[in-house]
Amino acid sequence: MKKTLSVVLTSAMALSMFSSVAFGKTSADFTDLKDLDAATKAKFDAMISAEIFDGVSDTTFGLKEEMNRAQFAKVAALIMGLEVNKDLKTSSFTDVSVTDAANGYALPYIEALKTANVTDGYAEGQYNPAGKVTKEQLATFLVRVLGKDAEAKALTGTDKTVSGWAQGYVAEALALKVLSNNADGTFGGITNATRDLLVTGAYEAKQQYVPAGKVSVTEAKATGVYKATVTFNKPVDTTKAVVSLTKGTLAVSATTTWSEDKKVATLATDTKIGEGEYTATVSGLDAATVEKTTATFTAKEEQVSKIDFVNAGDTVAYSTNAVIKLKAENQYGEAVSMGTSSFTALVSGQAPASFKKDAAGNLVITADVTGTGISQGNGIVPVTVYLNNSNVTVSKNFKVGTVPILSKIETGTVTYSNNGTKLVAADETASIAVNLFDQYGNPITKAQFVSGEIAASNVNPVITPYEQNLEVVKATTTFATGDLFDENDNARVLVKLKAKVDKTADYTVNIYGGSSSATATVSVSAANLPAKVEFDTTSVTLAANDASVYVPLNVTDANGNKLSAQEIVDNKDRMNFSVTNGTWSIQPTGTNKGKLKLSFTTDNVVGTKVYVTGQINQSQSNTFVQTSIPVQDARIAERITVSTEPAAKAILGASDDVEFQLKDQYGKDIADIDSNIANANGQTSNYRIKVEVTTEGTGTAAAPKTAHAPTVVTGAPANVTTYYYDNTQFDDFSNGFDLTSTSGSEGKVTVKAVIEKASNGTSNYSDYSSAVTRTFEAVKSDTALTYSIDTVGTLFAAQDKLTAGFTSGEALTAGNSQFDKKLTVIAKDAAGNKVILPSNYVRGISSSDPSVIAVNGDGTDAYVLGNKAGTAKVSAVVYTNKGETINLTQEVTVKADTIAVDKLVAGATSATYAGLGYAYTYFTDGDDTLKVTDQYGIEYENANIAKYDAVLGLRYTVSVVSGTGNVELDAKTGQITAVGNDVQEFLITAIAPNGKSVQVLVARP
C-alpha cells in the first residue's frame, strides 16, 4: 500500500491550481483536443492556462499518454506552489539523478515534495520516478483528498477489473462522480491512468474539495482596465467576506463577484486601474479562520499592445458606406477603453466619413470606396490606423469588389420591453438583435439601406406557428429601413404582442434575406386568467355614512395560482359583480389596486347588510359567489394624532410647525364628516375641534397654517386664543399651526387640541376625546448647547460620472447642483432635547480630499458634492449661539454606482381631467408631488424628473380605461398632447428602469 499512499500524497494539492489564470495556451492550441466537447475543454483550459499541464509538443497535448511519477511530482509541486530550488543537483533518493535523461528534470520538484513532507518515496530510499499511476490509485487519491477515506473503507465492490484493496475507493469515486466507468461498464482499475483522466478527475474533485487550514489571500492582480482579481488558497464564506481595494490610502469603489468555487473574487472597479500600487484586503471573516488578509500589486496605465483588422477578408464592397473593422487590444487582451480620438484612421490617405467604436469596443471605419479611379471589382483602397504619438500601427490594402449584396443574416439576443423573459401584456415587444453581412462577410450598415444600395424589402421576417395576436412590427406590408433599425442604428426585428394570449408558447421567427436566413425564439406567456373569485371581508368596515368601500378579492386561475392586483385589473372585463344600493368597479391604481370598489347611491342604514355577488364571465363552471357586509355606526372624529412633530425648543428666533391627523373610531384617517350623525338608537351628534393657543412670556406665537379666524370666548384669559373647526373644516385643522419665536425673547406657546361633541341638535359641546398638547419654547440666547452635523449619507460621484451641462442648468458645482447635499447643523440642550436654529450658521467648510468631495458655503449654509469614488472628511466651522465658532467633522463616502430609482411615490392616485399638460400634474395633490428618490437620497420632483432623465430614465405610458379614442403623451417628459373627446377615463403609469411604478387614474368631471 505504500505505493498507493505516495501517489495520494504526491497529488494532494492538485486542486489548488484553478485559482491561477495565465494568458498562455488553451485547448485550441492542441490538435488532439479539438474534438473535445465544450465542458471538457473548459476543464483542460483551467489546467493549461494555470501552466500545470502543457503539451508533449507545441501542437499535441498527449491526450492518451500515460504519466509517470516524475511528471506527477512536477505537477504536484507546481500546483502546491512549493519553493523549488531548480539549481539542486543531488537527491535524497538513490534512483533520482540529474543524469537520468528521461526523468532527471524532476529532481528539484521531487525534493520540494519531500521537504514539504508530502511524500517519503515509493520504497526505502527510492522514489521510482519512472513508475506509472494506475486508475485505481488515482481513484484512491481523489477520494482521500476529499476526506472520504472512512466512507470508502466501508464500501465493497464486485468489479473484477479492480484490485481487492481498491474496491471501496473506486466505488466512492464513482459515487462522487469524480471518475466514471468505461463504456463496457467496468472501471479498469489496474490499467495506467492517462493524462486526460488525470486532468478531468482532478478538476471534478476540485468542485467538492475544501482544504484544511486558514484562509489566505494568495494573489491580487489587475486583469483589466476596470477589473482586478483576488485569489484565495481555499473557498471563502462569501456571505461574510468583504473584499476591498485601495490605491495608497484612497479607497477604490468596486463591485465584487465570486467564482463558482468561491476562491477567486473579481472586482469590477468604477474607475480605471492606473499606474500605482494597489492593495486588496479581505475583511468580515472570523479572525480565527484567516491567516493572510492582504495582497499588493503594481499596475500600469492602459497601453495599446496591438491593432488588428477583423474584417472577414481583404475585400470590401463597392459602396459609399463600406465598413472596415479593427480591434485595438490593451495589455490585458481587452478592447482598449480609449476612444477613437486617440487614434488616426486614413483611407486612401484621407480621413474616413466616420470613425467610431461599436458596442463590442471595435474601431469601425465607414468610408466611401467609390472614388475616382475605382470601379466595381477593380481598385485598391489602402487603410492605415495608428495610435497617436506612438509606433503602434497597422496597414492593409483592401480590394474593392462589387456592390453590396445581403448574403448572410445572424440573430443575436432577444430582449423584452418588460425586462423579463416572455411577452405577457398587450403592446409589449420583443427585440431580436440582427447582424447583416454582405457577400464579403463585412457588416452591412443602415446607411447602405438609406442610400439604396440594399433594399430593406429584401428582409422578410415570418412568425411560426401563426398567432393572431403576435406580429412583426413594420409600417407597411414590407420591411422599410425604419422598421429594421432602432434609434441607435442597430439592426433588429421587433415583435409585438397585440393582446393577451391564453396559452404559453414559444414562437420561431424566421428572418429571410437574400440567400440567407436566421431564426430566433420569442416566448409568450399566457396571462393569468381568472377562474375563481372569492371575497375577503375580514378587514372591511362599512360605516353608515361611507360613500364607498373597498373589498379585497382573492382571484385564482385554473391552476390555483393567485392573480396579482395588476392581473385582476387587467382581467376586470372577465368578471361581473352586483351590489345592493350601489355600483361596483375594479380599482385600477393606488394602494387599493385590484380591489372591488363599492360606491353607494344613498347612505346605508346602521344594522342592515349590503349584499355583494360575483361571477366569472364565460366560465364553463359555476363560479357564483356571494357575501354580505354589515353596516356599522357612521364614522365620527374619535382621536387626534400628530403627523408632524415640532421641536420642543427654539433659539435666536427660529420657527417650526406642528401638523395633525384626525382618526375615526375604526382607526382610519378622516378629512371631514357629516353633521347630525345618527347612531343605531336614533340619537344624532355633531363634532368639532377646539384648539387653544396659550402663550407665556414673550416672543412666541402659533398661527393656523390655513387662515382661520379665532373665536372670542367669554372669560378666557388674555393669553389664550381659541379656534373652532366645524365638521367641514377638519382638513384646515389637520394642516396645523406655524410656531414662531423672536430672537432675544424667552417664552413658550402651547397648542392644545380636543374633539368636542354636541348631541341631538344642541349647541352644548363638551370634550369628547383626549386632548393633544404640544409646546414650543424659546430659550435664552446663551443656553448651553451641543452641536453636531446631521448624517450626510452617501454622495454620488457626480463630477466624475456626469458631463458638465448634461442637462440644462446643471452646473455640477456644490451649492448649485441637483446632486449636492446641504449640511444641516443639529443643536441639543443638556437634556438631549433638539433645539431648532433659524439657520445652519456654517461660516466655512473644507474637504480633506477635494478630488473626492467638492464643497461650497455662503457663510450660512454649506453644500457638499461628490467628485470621485472614495472617502473623505468634511469639516465645517459653525457659529454657535454664544458667538463662538467650533469645528465639526464628519467622514463622508462617495460612490460611483449608477443612479437608480430607490423610491417612486405619487401624491395622488386619482385625479379629475383638467386639460392637456404634463402627467406629473395629475400625480400631484397639494404639496404631495410625483417624487423620485435615488439610492443616494437625492429627490427629484415633477418637471425635474424629466430634466434629469439621463440618470433616472423614468418613462410614462397611458391606456384608456373607459370610453373610446386615444390619449397621446411624450414617454420621456410625460407631456399630454392629445385626449380623445370620447375618452372618459385614462390611466397614466410612471415606471422606472428597475420596474418601480406608480399610477394615476384620470377621469373627466
Side-chain angles (χ1 to χ4, degrees):
M1 286 300 297
K2 188 172 183 180
K3 177 179 180 181
T4 301
L5 179 60
S6 69
V7 171
V8 173
L9 293 174
T10 306
S11 311
M13 292 301 293
L15 308 170
S16 64
M17 56 161 185
F18 297 89
S19 62
S20 298
V21 178
F23 300 109
K25 290 186 175 181
T26 68
S27 57
D29 294 306
F30 301 105
T31 56
D32 54 345
L33 301 184
K34 63 181 179 63
D35 295 327
L36 297 177
D37 60 77
T40 305
K41 280 184 179 180
K43 299 170 187 178
F44 273 75
D45 283 335
M47 297 290 266
I48 295 168
S49 65
E51 299 180 353
I52 303 303
F53 276 87
D54 198 357
V56 295
S57 72
D58 286 343
T59 58
T60 305
F61 184 80
L63 192 64
K64 294 300 181 180
E65 289 192 12
E66 298 171 354
M67 176 177 279
N68 63 28
R69 289 169 53 83
Q71 295 169 334
F72 213 102
K74 180 177 179 181
V75 170
L78 290 174
I79 290 170
M80 295 173 66
L82 298 179
E83 184 176 347
V84 177
N85 182 5
K86 294 184 179 180
D87 296 327
L88 196 63
K89 302 298 182 184
T90 58
S91 173
S92 55
F93 296 106
T94 59
D95 59 348
V96 177
S97 172
V98 292
T99 61
D100 182 349
N103 301 309
Y105 71 91
L107 186 151
Y109 301 101
I110 294 170
E111 290 303 312
L113 290 177
K114 183 178 180 183
T115 301
N117 295 317
V118 173
T119 183
D120 56 1
Y122 175 79
E124 190 67 32
Q126 295 181 339
Y127 180 76
N128 188 23
K132 304 295 184 182
V133 179
T134 65
K135 282 187 65 178
E136 59 192 26
Q137 289 171 345
L138 178 60
T140 304
F141 144 60
L142 296 172
V143 167
R144 288 184 174 175
V145 163
L146 292 175
K148 303 292 184 180
D149 191 74
E151 289 88 337
K153 288 179 178 179
L155 296 177
T156 58
T158 59
D159 190 336
K160 295 181 180 180
T161 66
V162 177
S163 301
W165 66 265
Q167 291 284 353
Y169 290 102
V170 170
E172 183 67 9
L174 293 173
L176 294 170
K177 297 182 180 180
V178 294
L179 291 174
S180 57
N181 281 325
N182 298 326
D184 63 1
T186 65
F187 186 73
I190 59 176
T191 59
N192 290 332
T194 49
R195 286 162 60 89
D196 60 334
L197 288 178
L198 290 167
V199 173
T200 58
Y203 183 92
E204 296 297 340
K206 170 261 177 186
Q207 307 303 316
Q208 307 172 43
Y209 176 66
V210 178
K214 296 183 178 182
V215 171
S216 287
V217 178
T218 58
E219 182 185 37
K221 61 182 176 181
T223 51
V225 177
Y226 290 91
K227 184 171 67 175
T229 54
V230 183
T231 304
F232 296 82
N233 66 325
K234 60 182 296 183
V236 173
D237 184 349
T238 57
T239 62
K240 295 181 179 179
V242 177
V243 182
S244 57
L245 189 65
T246 57
K247 182 180 182 181
T249 59
L250 182 64
V252 178
S253 180
T255 302
T256 303
T257 56
W258 289 89
S259 61
E260 185 178 349
D261 63 5
K262 300 181 180 180
K263 292 171 66 176
V264 180
T266 300
L267 306 182
T269 62
D270 294 330
T271 55
K272 284 186 178 182
I273 296 177
E275 187 82 27
E277 294 289 329
Y278 290 80
T279 301
T281 303
V282 63
S283 59
L285 299 174
D286 297 336
T289 66
V290 183
E291 184 172 348
K292 185 182 178 185
T293 60
T294 64
T296 61
F297 64 90
T298 302
K300 294 183 178 181
E301 294 293 341
E302 182 180 25
Q303 301 171 356
V304 178
S305 59
K306 63 177 179 178
I307 308 173
D308 290 323
F309 288 96
V310 294
N311 283 56
D314 59 0
T315 302
V316 294
Y318 182 80
S319 171
T320 56
N321 290 280
V323 174
I324 299 167
K325 283 191 176 183
L326 304 96
K327 182 178 181 181
E329 289 188 0
N330 60 24
Q331 66 266 42
Y332 305 109
E334 305 170 318
V336 296
S337 63
M338 58 189 69
T340 53
S341 61
S342 299
F343 299 84
T344 295
L346 298 173
V347 179
S348 297
Q350 303 295 320
S354 172
F355 185 38
K356 60 184 181 180
K357 293 182 74 173
D358 63 13
N362 293 315
L363 307 178
V364 181
I365 296 172
T366 303
D368 183 353
V369 296
T370 64
T372 304
I374 298 176
S375 58
Q376 291 193 49
N378 183 21
I380 298 294
V381 176
V383 179
T384 299
V385 175
Y386 61 85
L387 177 66
N388 298 336
N389 303 316
S390 80
N391 59 359
V392 181
T393 183
V394 64
S395 296
K396 186 173 184 178
N397 289 333
F398 284 88
K399 301 175 185 176
V400 177
T402 56
V403 293
I405 301 171
L406 176 57
S407 299
K408 183 180 179 182
I409 299 177
E410 292 180 349
T411 54
T413 304
V414 179
T415 56
Y416 296 84
S417 60
N418 58 17
N419 296 318
T421 58
K422 297 177 185 293
L423 296 177
V424 180
D427 296 326
E428 291 181 350
T429 57
S431 179
I432 306 169
V434 176
N435 295 316
L436 307 172
F437 301 93
D438 64 19
Q439 68 270 38
Y440 303 109
N442 297 320
I444 293 175
T445 65
K446 180 181 179 180
Q448 290 172 317
F449 285 91
V450 173
S451 66
E453 293 175 347
I454 299 175
S457 58
N458 291 336
V459 179
N460 181 30
V462 178
I463 300 174
T464 57
Y466 172 75
E467 165 55 57
Q468 63 177 353
N469 289 322
L470 198 64
E471 67 176 7
V472 174
V473 177
K474 49 189 174 183
T476 60
T477 55
T478 59
F479 245 35
T481 301
D483 302 324
L484 186 56
F485 292 89
D486 64 15
E487 63 274 12
N488 296 316
D489 295 344
N490 296 315
R492 56 92 177 96
V493 170
L494 207 59
V495 175
K496 177 181 177 181
L497 185 65
K498 296 189 292 183
K500 295 178 182 178
V501 296
D502 296 339
K503 181 181 178 182
T504 297
D506 289 338
Y507 294 86
T508 299
V509 181
N510 296 287
I511 305 172
Y512 301 95
S515 59
S516 176
S517 66
T519 63
T521 300
V522 172
S523 299
V524 180
S525 176
N528 292 335
L529 302 178
K532 181 181 179 182
V533 62
E534 295 175 331
F535 302 110
D536 180 6
T537 60
T538 55
S539 60
V540 176
T541 299
L542 174 56
N545 56 347
D546 284 345
S548 62
V549 70
Y550 293 94
V551 180
L553 299 174
N554 291 324
V555 183
T556 53
D557 64 15
N559 298 319
N561 300 314
K562 187 175 180 179
L563 270 65
S564 67
Q566 185 60 54
E567 289 168 340
I568 293 175
V569 173
D570 293 341
N571 289 284
K572 64 182 184 298
D573 294 336
R574 292 176 176 264
M575 295 177 283
N576 189 44
F577 299 91
S578 67
V579 55
T580 56
N581 189 35
T583 60
W584 68 272
S585 61
I586 299 294
Q587 178 62 25
T589 61
T591 56
N592 292 309
K593 178 194 289 188
K595 293 181 181 179
L596 179 66
K597 181 180 180 181
L598 306 179
S599 300
F600 302 107
T601 307
T602 60
D603 284 351
N604 294 297
V605 178
V606 177
T608 63
K609 292 182 178 181
V610 168
Y611 292 91
V612 187
T613 65
Q615 191 169 15
I616 307 297
N617 295 336
Q618 303 173 344
S619 175
Q620 296 180 358
S621 59
N622 181 16
T623 61
F624 181 83
V625 290
Q626 178 176 303
T627 192
S628 62
I629 306 172
V631 181
Q632 309 289 339
D633 287 339
R635 297 181 189 274
I636 61 173
E638 180 81 8
R639 182 165 56 96
I640 301 172
T641 62
V642 178
S643 57
T644 300
E645 289 282 359
K649 298 182 179 182
I651 199 168
L652 301 172
S655 61
D656 207 348
D657 62 353
V658 59
E659 296 178 4
F660 302 99
Q661 179 59 58
L662 281 174
K663 302 281 187 179
D664 65 20
Q665 70 269 44
Y666 307 112
K668 300 296 184 181
D669 294 349
I670 55 173
D672 55 59
I673 60 174
D674 297 336
S675 60
N676 298 313
I677 298 174
N679 60 20
N681 297 323
Q683 295 180 328
T684 62
S685 301
N686 284 313
Y687 297 85
R688 72 181 183 184
I689 309 295
K690 177 183 178 181
V691 179
E692 290 181 336
V693 175
T694 304
T695 58
E696 300 177 41
T698 61
T700 56
K705 286 190 173 185
T706 301
H708 195 80
T711 299
V712 177
V713 179
T714 303
N719 65 330
V720 177
T721 303
T722 304
Y723 300 87
Y724 289 107
Y725 295 85
D726 65 28
N727 59 291
T728 66
Q729 299 169 327
F730 286 174
D731 247 359
D732 292 346
F733 160 72
S734 292
N735 285 338
F737 286 71
D738 287 321
L739 310 175
T740 58
S741 67
T742 302
S743 181
S745 298
E746 295 178 56
K748 65 180 179 180
V749 60
T750 301
V751 179
K752 177 184 176 182
V754 66
I755 302 171
E756 292 188 332
K757 172 183 174 182
S759 300
N760 296 323
T762 69
S763 59
N764 299 322
Y765 283 91
S766 59
D767 288 357
Y768 175 75
S769 71
S770 298
V772 173
T773 302
R774 290 297 184 268
T775 299
F776 185 65
E777 182 179 1
V779 299
K780 293 181 180 180
S781 297
D782 60 352
T783 299
L785 300 177
T786 58
Y787 289 82
S788 63
I789 299 175
D790 197 9
T791 302
V792 172
T794 304
L795 297 176
F796 172 56
Q799 290 183 331
D800 181 40
K801 289 297 180 179
L802 301 176
T803 303
F806 80 100
T807 187
S808 176
E810 178 55 59
L812 290 177
T813 58
N816 297 290
S817 175
Q818 171 71 18
F819 307 99
D820 63 17
K821 292 184 181 181
K822 184 169 76 172
L823 291 188
T824 300
V825 177
I826 297 176
K828 292 184 179 180
D829 65 13
N833 297 310
K834 183 178 179 180
V835 180
I836 193 165
L837 302 166
S839 70
N840 286 305
Y841 293 125
V842 179
R843 295 294 190 246
I845 184 171
S846 62
S847 168
S848 65
D849 190 346
S851 70
V852 175
I853 298 176
V855 298
N856 189 21
D858 60 9
T860 299
D861 292 319
Y863 301 85
V864 292
L865 176 67
N867 182 3
K868 292 183 180 294
T871 301
K873 288 185 178 180
V874 174
S875 296
V877 176
V878 175
Y879 184 74
T880 73
N881 60 305
K882 291 187 177 183
E884 304 169 340
T885 54
I886 59 175
N887 188 68
L888 302 177
T889 301
Q890 186 176 124
E891 188 170 80
V892 180
T893 297
V894 179
K895 291 187 177 181
D897 298 342
T898 301
I899 286 176
V901 174
D902 183 52
K903 296 177 183 178
L904 175 60
V905 296
T909 57
S910 61
T912 300
Y913 179 62
L916 304 180
Y918 287 87
Y920 58 75
T921 62
Y922 289 109
F923 281 104
T924 300
D925 182 11
D927 293 334
D928 297 321
T929 64
L930 180 63
K931 183 183 296 182
V932 170
T933 306
D934 65 26
Q935 75 270 38
Y936 298 99
I938 303 296
E939 294 182 347
Y940 313 75
E941 294 185 70
N942 288 352
N944 269 352
I945 296 173
K947 178 179 178 181
Y948 293 98
D949 178 72
V951 294
L952 296 177
L954 196 77
R955 291 294 179 266
Y956 298 91
T957 62
V958 63
S959 60
V960 175
V961 175
S962 64
T964 59
N966 296 318
V967 178
E968 297 178 6
L969 87 167
D970 187 295
K972 178 179 174 181
T973 66
Q975 183 176 13
I976 303 169
T977 55
V979 177
N981 291 332
D982 294 326
V983 173
Q984 299 304 309
E985 291 180 303
F986 56 93
L987 185 67
I988 304 175
T989 301
I991 184 168
N994 58 10
K996 296 181 187 293
S997 65
V998 290
Q999 295 178 315
V1000 61
L1001 181 65
V1002 182
R1004 289 190 183 273

